[in-house]
Amino acid sequence: VIKCEKICMIGTFRYHSKYLHQPFDEIFAFFKIATDGRPGTESIKMFFHESDSSFPAFRKQIRDYVPIGGPVPLDIAMSHEYENGGGPPYPRVYLVQRFRHQPFEDVVKFYTLPSLLPLLLFFTAKDGAGSYDSTVETIALSSGLILADVALLFVNKSPTMTFSEQSLLFNLAYLILGTVSCSAISMSQVESLSHVYNVCLYVFISLSVVLAGLMAIVHRAIATRSNDAIAKYLNERNFKILNDLV
């Protein structure tokens, strides 16, 4: 009986996460330990001793991803018989480690800043609310904010529409709609609407922050629910449902 006290592996890995869930995505890293099928390897017996297997490398942060819990042994098989008979049997072990993305930087970039930038519109509404000059300043500033959001869309290059991009698009649509509505009220020739313009602009800016926060909470909940389901089916070894889920 040979007990393996320590195995060190250094490798370069490419990972794949669910693009839709960015920046709340997670990684399920699978590791396979197997023999190469040489004569005699079919007699090797592999066992997973939980209290004696620490896996210290799996507990370290990888770029923006932090491990959740310890590695889970998915399958420990003494031999693997190919269905088509295309190879010799060999013992192998499958392990999976769950990593969660730390979303702070992306949340600030795609949720917080786009919702806080409209606060600058307060300065245009502070004096002369509803006047022609104030309206022009509001439209000019709002146009600059829209261009800033459009520029952020080109920063996040992904093959599908992510939660981050959905937040930006919502903020763009909300900013355009709010600016047009406030400007329409301001350009009407009724002087009594100047107060309404001021109130509408303040409500519009406040809702921008509130809606961005709600969107971040909803996106986080959707991503967490999906990833928890994946982890559940992995622990249950229910690979049939897992294939449909992924």
Side-chain angles (χ1 to χ4, degrees):
V1 178
I2 299 177
K3 182 180 179 182
C4 181
E5 295 291 348
K6 185 176 182 180
I7 294 179
C8 295
M9 295 182 292
I10 300 176
T12 302
F13 304 95
R14 290 188 298 176
Y15 66 87
H16 171 75
S17 61
K18 207 164 186 176
Y19 292 108
L20 172 66
H21 293 162
Q22 292 179 0
F24 306 109
D25 55 310
E26 296 185 6
I27 294 175
F28 291 86
F30 292 86
F31 300 90
K32 177 182 178 181
I33 304 174
T35 60
D36 57 2
R38 295 181 183 180
T41 55
E42 67 277 359
S43 301
I44 294 179
K45 305 295 182 182
M46 294 185 180
F47 300 92
F48 180 79
H49 197 282
E50 186 173 358
S51 61
D52 201 26
S53 301
S54 59
F55 299 98
F58 290 171
R59 303 182 185 275
K60 294 182 179 180
Q61 180 174 338
I62 301 177
R63 296 189 64 180
D64 296 332
Y65 293 85
V66 293
I68 303 176
V72 178
L74 284 184
D75 187 20
I76 301 178
M78 295 303 105
S79 64
H80 176 69
E81 297 287 350
Y82 288 96
E83 294 181 359
N84 56 3
Y90 62 89
R92 85 278 193 224
V93 177
Y94 289 101
L95 300 173
V96 61
Q97 175 64 53
R98 183 179 180 181
F99 292 89
R100 176 169 293 167
H101 186 208
Q102 289 186 322
F104 176 77
E105 181 180 344
D106 289 332
V107 167
V108 171
K109 185 188 301 180
F110 295 104
Y111 290 86
T112 307
L113 282 181
S115 64
L116 291 179
L117 285 177
L119 291 174
L120 296 174
L121 297 175
F122 271 124
F123 295 99
T124 64
K126 184 176 180 181
D127 299 315
S131 65
Y132 176 79
D133 291 339
S134 177
T135 303
V136 172
E137 291 177 3
T138 300
I139 295 176
L141 183 55
S142 179
S143 300
L145 298 179
I146 291 172
L147 290 177
D149 287 344
V150 171
L152 272 178
L153 284 175
F154 291 96
V155 173
N156 194 26
K157 296 180 179 179
S158 59
T160 186
M161 182 69 66
T162 65
F163 283 164
S164 300
E165 293 169 336
Q166 290 179 19
S167 175
L168 280 176
L169 289 176
F170 174 81
N171 189 75
L172 274 169
Y174 184 77
L175 189 58
I176 293 173
L177 180 62
T179 303
V180 171
S181 300
C182 292
S183 300
I185 295 175
S186 176
M187 287 186 293
S188 62
Q189 300 301 319
V190 182
E191 293 185 2
S192 61
L193 289 180
S194 61
H195 177 69
V196 177
Y197 166 81
N198 207 351
V199 173
C200 288
L201 187 59
Y202 290 164
V203 171
F204 157 69
I205 296 172
S206 302
L207 280 178
S208 175
V209 178
V210 174
L211 292 176
L214 289 176
M215 182 171 291
I217 294 174
V218 171
H219 285 172
R220 179 64 180 267
I222 293 174
T224 301
R225 181 178 180 181
S226 175
N227 291 315
D228 286 346
I230 294 176
K232 174 186 175 182
Y233 292 129
L234 281 174
N235 289 329
E236 295 176 354
R237 315 300 195 267
N238 197 335
F239 301 111
K240 183 177 181 180
I241 298 179
L242 186 62
N243 289 333
D244 298 333
L245 183 64
V246 177

